[in-house]
Amino acid sequence: MTKRIFHSICLVALIVFFSSVILIMGVLYSYFSDVQQSQLKMQTELAAQGVSKSGPDYFDNLEAADFRITWIGRNGKVLYDSESDMEQMENHLQREEIQEACEKGYGESRRYSVTLMERRLYAAKLLGDGTILRLSVAQTAILTLLLGMIQPVCIVFLTAVVLSVVLAVRLTRNIVKPLNELNLDRPLGNREYDEITPLLKRIDSQQRQLKCQESILSEKKRELDTIIHSMKEGMILLNRKGEIISINPAAVKILNTDSLCVGTDIRKLNCSPGFQEIIEKALEGERTERTLALPEGNYQLDANPVVSGTQVSGAAVLLFDVTEKEKAEQMRREFTANVSHELKTPLHAISGYAELLKNNMVESKDVGHFAGKIYAEAQRMVQLVEDIISLSHLDEGAKELQQEETDLYALAQEVCHSLQPQALQQGVTLKLEGVSAVVKGIPQLLRGILCNLVDNAVKYNHAGGTAVVTISENEQFVTLSVRDTGIGIDAEHQERIFERFYRVDKSRSREAGGTGLGLSIVRHAAKIHHARIDLQSSPGVGTVISVSFPR
């Protein structure tokens, strides 16, 4: 814009200058022509007086270098001419200045001379004897006039150019400076030019719209960032080249990288063929999902192409942790297999004993023994089914059961009293120690925890051993502790004994009548009460299991 204004000002100045020169030269040319005509008239008057007094003798030895003198008779015949042969000259009676002189006594004209091939000024004077004296002079050409004034014209031209440039620069700066200093943050506060007020109003309106849209976009971006950063699932956005443009903290942790990976090709973060294939297919426009083993566990990758029009502009990758899901699925399969196995064993035993009785292959004195076996196996099946139902109930959270204040010591007394006959039969001394302590919980589940822990302490003990139940409390916890002097548990099994159907010694467990679900029920019931389980055990020494209930 500055250059255009500068060039425009200079161009206008030059146009004005040349227009002025042309106008002045035209005026000067007209002025000098009039002056030259006046001088010619005066010279004609003087020459006419000379001819009137001296006649033809006036022309003898006459020097008139600048003027052409012609003497014309009454009939138009040239009597004398200072530059041409009068015998060869045509009749001049029809010339404009001659006719005017004949009518008025004086005449003048300006025309192009065919004889001398130049533009001339003519002045004619009627003499007393009827003859006419005419003087003519070559008219000064405009080019001659211009060449005569070339020096002052050049000086004026250079001065005009310099002044035009200087003034153009200053004027351009003065024009552009307010525009450069416009406060676009407050468009309506600028009052330099009224002509740009509509533009400033438009800018102000657009700025308000942009600020409103920016505020909306910022709010939505904050909401999106909050949602993405709060997701447990990993989320990654890629451009068409496979470079990361956004990644949330969950994905950073899953891929074992950092937030500085933005701008990096995602294929460099994991070189496994499956991962590479998923990304490539997504960038080619195909939705893909697959479960992959990553450092953090097993994850399901959902890769969706982002399509703009008909072009794939990127991809969105979601990572779902399916480790627990697959583990739960594996546990479900194992549980189904274990239940089938556990039910099959007593069913085979019952079927075998019943077949013997059906075919009269048992002596009368042994019928009671076989019936007892059938009853024991049936009771074992009943206990197994009840434990499975209890576990299913606990898996659902036991939401229909109400919590209430329960004295854990009093509950332990009831359980120990009910299991005392079993302890005497096993030759185990069962004791209860501690103080009265109240916890808020579900009485049925608390009883289940006590029954299973005390029952195990009795079953997996030695004859002559002891099982001690202790209730204690402090400012933070009420603790139930069951200690026995039984067979103990090896360290390699201690992390798994709370799994369903897991047995350290399967033959001993079946002999003792266990279903393999007792400690699993304890773990689920403790979880519902937000309690912590601690296990300490040494083979041949005994086991201590403590359940701490938060106050």
Side-chain angles (χ1 to χ4, degrees):
M1 180 178 178
T2 303
K3 290 182 178 179
R4 292 183 64 182
I5 293 175
F6 175 78
H7 292 157
S8 298
I9 293 174
C10 290
L11 181 60
V12 169
L14 291 175
I15 291 174
V16 170
F17 171 77
F18 284 112
S19 299
S20 300
V21 169
I22 292 172
L23 180 61
I24 292 171
M25 292 302 297
V27 172
L28 288 176
Y29 183 72
S30 177
Y31 171 74
F32 283 121
S33 295
D34 292 341
V35 170
Q36 198 173 14
Q37 188 72 52
S38 298
Q39 291 177 347
L40 181 62
K41 181 179 181 181
M42 183 178 64
Q43 293 293 335
T44 302
E45 293 288 349
L46 293 175
Q49 292 179 10
V51 173
S52 296
K53 291 180 179 181
S54 303
D57 295 337
Y58 176 78
F59 299 108
D60 294 340
N61 300 319
L62 178 66
E63 293 183 5
D66 296 329
F67 298 96
R68 178 184 180 185
I69 301 175
T70 306
W71 189 24
I72 304 164
R74 294 177 183 178
N75 57 359
K77 183 179 179 181
V78 178
L79 303 177
Y80 173 80
D81 190 90
S82 60
E83 294 183 4
S84 300
D85 186 3
M86 56 186 181
E87 297 295 335
Q88 297 179 359
M89 295 179 66
E90 61 183 6
N91 191 289
H92 278 47
L93 190 61
Q94 298 302 319
R95 302 294 171 91
E96 179 184 352
E97 68 276 4
I98 302 299
Q99 290 184 357
E100 187 178 355
C102 291
E103 293 177 2
K104 300 178 180 180
Y106 175 80
E108 60 183 34
S109 66
R110 301 174 185 179
R111 66 177 179 274
Y112 187 79
S113 175
V114 179
T115 306
L116 300 177
M117 303 299 291
E118 61 184 5
R119 185 175 177 80
R120 300 184 71 84
L121 301 178
Y122 296 91
K125 179 68 175 176
L126 181 63
L127 301 181
D129 57 0
T131 60
I132 299 171
L133 182 66
R134 185 187 71 175
L135 271 68
S136 66
V137 66
Q139 187 179 12
T140 304
I142 193 168
L143 181 59
T144 304
L145 181 61
L146 182 60
L147 291 175
M149 299 180 65
I150 191 66
Q151 184 175 358
V153 168
C154 289
I155 294 173
V156 172
F157 175 76
L158 292 176
T159 304
V161 169
V162 173
L163 289 175
S164 297
V165 171
V166 173
L167 292 175
V169 170
R170 296 192 63 181
L171 185 59
T172 301
R173 288 178 180 174
N174 292 335
I175 293 174
V176 175
K177 183 178 179 182
L179 296 177
N180 291 333
E181 294 178 353
L182 286 176
N183 184 3
L184 296 180
D185 294 330
R186 297 177 62 251
L188 298 182
N190 301 283
R191 299 296 180 187
E192 282 76 7
Y193 296 115
D194 293 336
E195 291 79 5
I196 63 173
T197 299
L199 174 63
L200 295 176
K201 288 182 179 179
R202 183 70 177 272
I203 292 174
D204 181 68
S205 174
Q206 290 182 343
Q207 282 187 345
R208 288 198 301 270
Q209 293 178 6
L210 288 174
K211 286 180 181 178
C212 180
Q213 293 175 356
E214 182 181 5
S215 176
I216 295 173
L217 290 175
S218 298
E219 182 64 26
K220 291 189 177 296
K221 183 178 182 299
R222 283 194 296 269
E223 292 176 359
L224 181 62
D225 288 343
T226 301
I227 293 171
I228 291 176
H229 283 71
S230 301
M231 290 172 58
K232 294 189 297 182
E233 296 79 13
M235 183 173 183
I236 308 170
L237 299 179
L238 309 175
N239 61 15
R240 66 179 65 189
K241 296 180 181 178
E243 297 172 345
I244 299 172
I245 58 177
S246 178
I247 183 170
N248 69 346
V252 168
K253 182 179 179 182
I254 293 169
L255 295 178
N256 194 24
T257 181
D258 52 48
S259 57
L260 299 178
C261 66
V262 174
T264 305
D265 193 320
I266 191 173
R267 287 162 288 204
K268 294 181 180 179
L269 301 182
N270 190 300
C271 298
S272 64
F275 188 87
Q276 300 278 332
E277 182 182 354
I278 290 174
I279 300 302
E280 291 294 341
K281 287 185 177 181
L283 293 176
E284 291 172 1
E286 180 181 348
R287 184 183 182 279
T288 310
E289 64 178 49
R290 183 178 297 179
T291 301
L292 294 177
L294 298 176
E296 294 293 323
N298 295 329
Y299 284 85
Q300 178 179 321
L301 270 69
D302 286 355
N304 298 279
V306 177
V307 181
S308 177
T310 58
Q311 299 292 325
V312 177
S313 58
V317 181
L318 293 174
L319 298 95
F320 299 93
D321 187 354
V322 294
T323 305
E324 292 298 327
K325 179 181 177 182
E326 291 190 348
K327 186 176 180 180
E329 184 65 21
Q330 179 65 25
M331 290 179 63
R332 185 191 65 78
R333 290 193 294 268
E334 291 178 357
F335 180 74
T336 302
N338 287 331
V339 167
S340 301
H341 178 73
E342 293 293 335
L343 289 174
K344 182 174 67 175
T345 301
L347 281 174
H348 278 307
I350 292 172
S351 177
Y353 292 139
E355 186 178 5
L356 291 175
L357 291 173
K358 175 184 176 183
N359 296 324
N360 297 319
M361 298 177 67
V362 179
E363 297 182 3
S364 299
K365 62 179 182 177
D366 295 326
V367 170
H369 172 72
F370 280 92
K373 289 287 186 179
I374 293 174
Y375 176 78
E377 294 295 335
Q379 287 299 110
R380 183 181 170 194
M381 288 181 61
V382 169
Q383 183 63 43
L384 179 62
V385 171
E386 288 179 351
D387 286 348
I388 291 173
I389 293 173
S390 296
L391 271 176
S392 299
H393 190 58
L394 292 175
D395 284 338
E396 296 175 358
K399 296 178 181 179
E400 74 283 358
L401 299 178
Q402 298 295 322
Q403 293 192 359
E404 57 185 67
E405 300 288 339
T406 304
D407 188 339
L408 200 58
Y409 187 85
L411 191 60
Q413 278 184 322
E414 295 178 10
V415 171
C416 289
H417 180 73
S418 64
L419 292 177
Q420 189 66 43
Q422 181 181 340
L424 293 175
Q425 185 179 358
Q426 295 284 342
V428 176
T429 302
L430 182 59
K431 298 180 181 179
L432 175 62
E433 299 177 349
V435 296
S436 177
V438 177
V439 296
K440 187 174 182 179
I442 302 172
Q444 298 93 317
L445 300 186
L446 295 176
R447 179 184 295 276
I449 293 173
L450 278 163
C451 287
N452 280 288
L453 292 180
V454 175
D455 184 58
N456 285 345
V458 172
K459 284 181 181 177
Y460 300 105
N461 213 323
H462 301 292
T466 59
V468 181
V469 180
T470 304
I471 308 297
S472 61
E473 64 177 340
N474 55 31
E475 294 181 355
Q476 295 180 334
F477 298 99
V478 173
T479 302
L480 160 66
S481 178
V482 179
R483 183 179 73 254
D484 65 60
T485 58
I487 60 177
I489 304 170
D490 289 331
E492 61 182 293
H493 300 292
Q494 290 181 12
E495 292 184 0
R496 300 194 61 189
I497 62 170
F498 291 96
E499 296 179 7
R500 301 176 186 187
F501 295 110
Y502 186 83
R503 294 187 179 92
V504 176
D505 187 342
K506 295 184 179 181
S507 60
R508 174 72 181 267
S509 296
R510 287 196 176 91
E511 289 175 4
T515 62
L517 296 175
L519 289 181
S520 183
I521 292 173
V522 170
R523 182 181 67 178
H524 278 68
K527 184 177 180 181
I528 291 174
H529 288 86
H530 307 290
R532 185 184 74 236
I533 300 178
D534 296 309
L535 170 67
Q536 296 177 355
S537 183
S538 298
V541 177
T543 301
V544 179
I545 297 178
S546 300
V547 183
S548 299
F549 299 90
R551 282 191 174 279

